[in-house]
Structure formats: C-alpha cells, structure tokens
Amino acid sequence: MAKNFIQPGNVLTIPAPAAVLSGGVVVAGDIKGIAQGDAATGAPVDVATAGVWSLPKIAANAFALGAKVYWAAGTGLATSTASGNTLLGVAVEAAPADSASVKVRLSGF
C-alpha cells in the first residue's frame, strides 16, 4: 500500500452541516451520504458515501430502474426533479408514484 493512502472513503467523519438523525441524508458541498448516527450541527457525524439505501420520496414521483434520484432539502424527500435539488444517485429498482420510498445507490462523488 502506498504511504500516502488514508482510507477507503466509504464512510467519512465530517462536521454535520445541519442537525441530522441516523439514516438521514447529509449534503456537505459535494459530499453526499447517509448519517450513521445522530448529530447536532457542527458535531462529528459518520457519513456513508456508498451503498444502496431506502429513502423516503415525494409521493407523486415515480422512478424507473436506473433513473437519477435527487434530494429536495426543503422537503427532506427524494425527488425526480433536478432543478434546485442535489443528485444523490440512481434508483436500483422501479418505485411507482404511490410508493413511500425509493432504493438509491449513492453516486459517491
């Protein structure tokens, strides 16, 4: 292993940009992931930046397999609307409009 290797980066410990509960979406600049514990604003929080996660979604939105999934911070829900929202990843299975959640593979970028 190279001497300058630090970590795989699948889980990062960062200051929480806002209060978050375990399992909640964290967006800190281009770091996007899922909180692995509760944290107050500014407190350290472990954020998973990879994997597949079930996230609550806007009820009217439907997702096809492989569709881009965005995060609407204002509602705290996944959405298919790109404008004004943050790209999280892609749907790993279809989620019809009447479903409460969508399974998302995080993009990790």
Side-chain angles (χ1 to χ4, degrees):
M1 177 140 336
K3 290 192 269 184
N4 58 342
F5 178 80
I6 297 171
Q7 64 171 322
N10 294 331
V11 177
L12 303 173
T13 302
I14 64 171
V20 64
L21 298 176
S22 181
V25 172
V26 174
V27 177
D30 283 334
I31 297 172
K32 296 163 271 201
I34 308 299
Q36 300 301 287
D38 299 349
T41 303
V45 63
D46 291 338
V47 178
T49 60
V52 177
W53 303 86
S54 179
L55 298 175
K57 70 173 193 64
I58 293 175
N61 288 179
F63 294 90
L65 172 66
K68 290 181 179 176
V69 178
Y70 299 87
W71 187 250
T75 62
L77 298 170
T79 181
S80 57
T81 302
S83 181
N85 297 309
T86 302
L87 178 63
L88 281 183
V90 296
V92 298
E93 66 180 37
D98 62 352
S99 63
S101 63
V102 58
K103 292 179 182 173
V104 181
R105 180 186 163 273
L106 298 178
S107 295
F109 57 85

